[in-house]
Amino acid sequence: MSFITRGFSGRGRERDDRLPPGQTLVGDFPVLSAGPTPDIDTADWAFTIRTESGVDHTWTWDEFMALPIEDVTTDIHCVTHWSKLGTGWRGVALDTLFEGVDTDYGYTMAHSYGGYTTNVPLEDLLDGKAWVAFEFDGEPLDPEHGGPARLLVPHLYFWKSAKWVRGLTMMEEDEPGFWEQNGYHLRGDPWKEERYW
Amino acid sequence: MSADGIAAPPGASPLAAIRAVPRAGWHVATVAATHRETPNASRIELDVDGWPGNAAGQHLDVRLTAPDAYTATRSYSIASSGDSTRVVLAVDKLPDGEVSPFLVDDLRAGDQLEVHGPLGAFFVWRPAVESGDDRPVQLIAGGSGVVPLYAMAHAHADASDPTPFRLLYSVRTPRDVYFADEWRALAAASAPLQVDLVYTRQAPDDWPAPPGRITREALEAAVIPAAERPRVYVCGSTGFVERVADWLVGLGHAPGDIRTERYGGT
Ligand SMILES: Cc1cc2nc3c(=O)[nH]c(=O)nc-3n(C[C@H](O)[C@H](O)[C@H](O)COP(=O)(O)OP(=O)(O)OC[C@H]3O[C@@H](n4cnc5c(N)ncnc54)[C@H](O)[C@@H]3O)c2cc1C
């Protein structure tokens, strides 16, 4: 790093190894989304995985809550440079949801209530890497933060953790979702600073 | 969209959006001038070597580096648009902030910093002649959230664009209005613009309404009605944007017509 801004010393002197490059620790939980917050009743909620053969695997809220539930403690990293460490979530692992799903495709598009989409390679969702989360810090997930349920893919920038998630469609090839079409990176690894195209 | 019942994202057009926007990159910026915009905010003019130009509403990332290589990066909306390599920001000082107090109080002409951009292809406005979209535009800002909306209103005036524009702008006191003189000039320009102010702490002496946070009723009275299908851009703190966007949906505006940019904070 060769570049110095005169007079700047910074305040966040403690470097934490858990912080990816370009990130700043926050204590609160900032909200970033592209439009109004949708209001979704769990009675109307369903989560669907749609495969290439047109088969839908759908869970209503009650069916979803009857699945094995996991507690997850993890760091999260937003593309707008904030990170939170050691956040606590409850949710259902994507491994559980994909147990009975037969697909040869390697990519998914996550769809949300409200119309948001984001693309995630299947391998970034499996092997204990991702959940559909419905609790944060022991409380039902706030609508602002994606409640009743959001995707949680903590090893990628947080725009991949689609709020108000309603399902995944399998894709043969990777295609950009909403923010990816609007300038964000196709994958979004915080450790590689894959922020923008 | 292949999946039934799963709607396309609001306003998302295919890859055209990516191509329409210049590729973002890191640039060295030299401070050309800074001056007080309000008692709590500064306007910062940067000369950015190699800046490819930007659309109205885009933002950039500012990176500051300390002598020991410590860096801090924050996003800032761009108050200017077009081809110029002179890029204008306006920054509000957060009392407990790391970057904004430095930018507002310490930065001076001749200083250098790094910027990455232009960024964002969604919270942007393009003239009707380019976009083929002549629906009226409602801008709604809280505090420093007016920055990208000012860029839009300015681009609208520069293009003598006939699209009706209306701005609803919530500020603490009359001294906290960003671009105060410019708003007067823009409202007098040929592109149609109406500016409505809401004062939350202290209003001018002859002001008809007492100061206070915007209400649903005040919002309804000061925005283009849902029946006219305006495109709405809302920008400010999270609390402000949440409240306003909820009310707009309640007033019949389609969620897909409402674009939001949240600056964090409550
Ligand atoms: C797209 C975008 C455009 C923006 N444009 C402008 C602008 O034009 N003018 C302007 O004054 N500000 C703008 N901001 C806000 C700006 O990026 C900084 O968050 C602000 O200047 C505070 O930085 P700081 O270092 O002074 O405070 P910090 O030291 O970062 O902390 C101040 C408080 O803000 C919280 N916080 C920190 N980072 C974020 C974040 N990324 N999102 C939400 N909350 C956070 C912290 O938890 C803390 O409570 C914009 C933000 C975004 C995302």
Side-chain angles (χ1 to χ4, degrees), chain A residues 1 3-5 7-10 13, chain B residues 65-70:
Chain A
M1 176 52 52
F3 198 95
I4 291 163
T5 302
F8 179 69
S9 57
R13 306 311 303 169
Chain B
T65 304
D68 65 352
Y70 172 82

Side-chain angles (χ1 to χ4, degrees), chain B residues 56-57 81 124-129 131 133-140 146-168 183 186-196 222-224 228 230-233:
Chain B
S81 68
V124 296
W125 179 82
R126 292 173 202 284
V129 280
S131 62
D133 177 5
D134 59 0
R135 286 164 58 186
V137 171
Q138 178 69 52
L139 310 173
I140 305 178
V146 79
V147 177
L149 309 186
Y150 171 73
M152 294 178 194
H154 203 288
H156 172 245
D158 282 352
S160 299
D161 188 284
T163 312
F165 261 49
R166 196 166 174 182
L167 167 71
L168 176 59
W183 287 118
L186 289 176
S190 65
L193 169 70
Q194 181 181 341
V195 177
D196 303 286
V223 299
I224 301 170
E228 293 178 35
R231 294 209 176 277
V232 191
Y233 296 85

Side-chain angles (χ1 to χ4, degrees), chain A residues 6 11 13 37 81 111 181, chain B residues 6 13 68 96 98 111:
Chain A
R6 180 201 61 81
R11 182 200 57 196
R13 306 311 303 169
T37 297
H81 302 283
H111 293 265
Q181 288 174 26
Chain B
I6 298 182
S13 58
D68 65 352
D96 57 345
E98 176 176 26
D111 286 351

Side-chain angles (χ1 to χ4, degrees), chain A residues 107-109 118-120 171-177 180 186:
Chain A
Y107 299 92
T108 76
M109 186 69 80
T118 191
N119 55 307
V120 193
M171 300 192 295
E172 189 168 16
E173 295 183 20
D174 207 3
E175 278 176 40
E180 294 80 10
L186 214 54

Side-chain angles (χ1 to χ4, degrees), chain A residues 11 28 30 80 82, chain B residues 74-77 90 92 97-100 263-264:
Chain A
R11 182 200 57 196
D28 54 359
T80 67
W82 56 263
Chain B
R74 297 289 185 280
S75 300
Y76 292 96
S77 297
D92 185 44
E98 176 176 26
V99 170
S100 62
Y263 281 1

